Amino acid sequence: MPKKIPNWLFYGAALPITIAAATVASSYWWIWASAAPSSLGTKIRLTIDDGMPTQAIAQELESAGVIRSSLALRLWLQWLSIRGEQSVVLRSGTYDFATNQSLSEVVAQIRTAKSTEVRFTIPEGWSIAQMAELFEKEKFFTAAEFVAATQRLSPKRRDWLPNNIPSLEGFLFPDTYQILPSEATPDRIIDLMLDRFEQVALKLYREDQASKPKVKISLADWVTLASIVEKEAVIESERSLIAGVFWNRLRRNMRLESDPTVEYAFNIKQTPESPLTLEQVRMPSPYNTYLNEGLPPGAIASVGLASLKATLDPASTDYLFFVARFDGSHVFSRTLDDHEKAIQDIDKKIPQKSR
């Protein structure tokens, strides 16, 4: 009888063979997984959103045919991290990939943010003038070109736009946008922002007014009043209360007496240490709600969804006045006497605040 091979000898010989086979197999897999999916160089446009997890990005790239393996991408990022690369972050943006790019080339393109489209953000409460300054700073076009474009109110632009507005102020929806550099013209950007207004704000307005609205209001007046709420409200919990105060004043034919309308009319920026003066408040302008009853001729800023909603659903309150504190909150009052006392109390603290 032949001698039986000891187990230790069998496993001792099998282990190196297994390791070698696994190494060869993994090497072949890596060569395949990291290679370009195709030699044709077909273009694939893909958008990576802000905050998108790496695993989701990898899966998106694989599904689109930009890379062969999402696992390989994650392994490659880990390897770059181990090597001490300063940044292995995959940046958001819209990219034009080619199917003849290797895995490392795809990752390098995303890490260096060679995005096909440029991105810009319009914050809530910005005026057309502030938008124009941004676009000029980003070298899209001059501020004057953008302002002029917002004043071209052809009916062909949007059939739902009110006829009596002086400009597109208030109808350019604040959001983050992406656009090809070659398409970054004033009219193209305006179209993007009007599209977003139509999708978000106009949809909200039509649904609200078609049901049993808490308040009945025209589209133009809604946007105008909401823009004043937007500029007055700092703390979210006060937004509908501020809207309620303005609605109360309008129903009683009281002037709104809103500081932001004066600031907008005369391009003034007040501070706690340098508030509006009596002379400024008395300067004539259609936008000066200290002098004119009702709403101004148009909006004074871009309006976010929260202020739009608050204006359609104002708080039920008997307050008629409010004044801002230093932290952005407000003191609300029912009577003029209480309001004036609140103003005096806040004014007393201004010297202490400036020290």
Side-chain angles (χ1 to χ4, degrees), residues 315-333:
S316 297
T317 179
D318 54 358
Y319 289 132
L320 291 172
F321 306 90
F322 61 83
V323 59
R325 296 190 183 97
F326 299 113
D327 61 359
S329 65
H330 295 81
V331 178
F332 293 85
S333 303

Side-chain angles (χ1 to χ4, degrees), residues 105-286:
E105 290 172 333
V106 169
V107 170
Q109 180 178 349
I110 303 174
R111 287 180 63 207
T112 54
K114 294 177 181 177
S115 176
T116 301
E117 295 184 338
V118 292
R119 177 174 295 203
F120 64 91
T121 298
I122 302 300
E124 297 161 349
W126 266 27
S127 66
I128 284 175
Q130 288 174 296
M131 299 178 201
E133 290 177 6
L134 171 69
F135 295 137
E136 183 167 281
K137 180 181 177 182
E138 295 295 329
K139 299 182 179 179
F140 288 1
F141 35 74
T142 67
E145 287 175 315
F146 183 73
V147 172
T150 65
Q151 295 171 343
R152 292 194 290 269
L153 302 174
S154 167
K156 295 180 180 179
R157 174 151 264 168
R158 292 295 187 281
D159 58 7
W160 49 262
L161 278 171
N163 296 322
N164 58 342
I165 54 175
S167 75
L168 292 175
E169 192 80 85
F171 291 91
L172 303 180
F173 198 76
D175 208 339
T176 296
Y177 296 89
Q178 292 182 177
I179 191 170
L180 292 169
S182 60
E183 296 179 358
T185 65
D187 286 326
R188 176 60 183 140
I189 286 178
I190 287 170
D191 283 341
L192 283 176
M193 300 180 77
L194 288 176
D195 286 344
R196 194 67 53 85
F197 182 94
E198 184 172 355
Q199 294 160 4
V200 180
L202 187 62
K203 181 176 181 291
L204 169 68
Y205 173 77
R206 285 174 171 170
E207 289 176 351
D208 177 85
Q209 297 293 290
S211 57
K212 292 183 179 179
K214 191 172 183 179
V215 292
K216 196 71 178 176
I217 189 170
S218 70
L219 177 60
D221 287 349
W222 174 53
V223 173
T224 298
L225 182 54
S227 73
I228 300 175
V229 173
E230 183 70 65
K231 294 298 291 184
E232 292 278 15
V234 176
I235 297 175
E236 183 62 34
S237 60
E238 293 185 349
R239 202 177 299 271
S240 63
L241 195 56
I242 288 172
V245 170
F246 284 138
W247 272 111
N248 287 345
R249 296 180 71 89
L250 288 171
R251 291 183 182 120
R252 298 189 183 202
N253 294 320
M254 298 174 66
R255 290 187 291 272
L256 294 183
E257 299 183 350
S258 171
D259 286 6
T261 63
V262 179
E263 293 180 81
Y264 180 82
F266 305 111
N267 193 27
I268 299 170
K269 180 61 178 177
Q270 66 171 330
T271 65
E273 294 77 23
S274 181
L276 292 177
T277 65
L278 187 60
E279 181 183 0
Q280 290 169 331
V281 167
R282 289 177 175 175
M283 291 169 63
S285 167

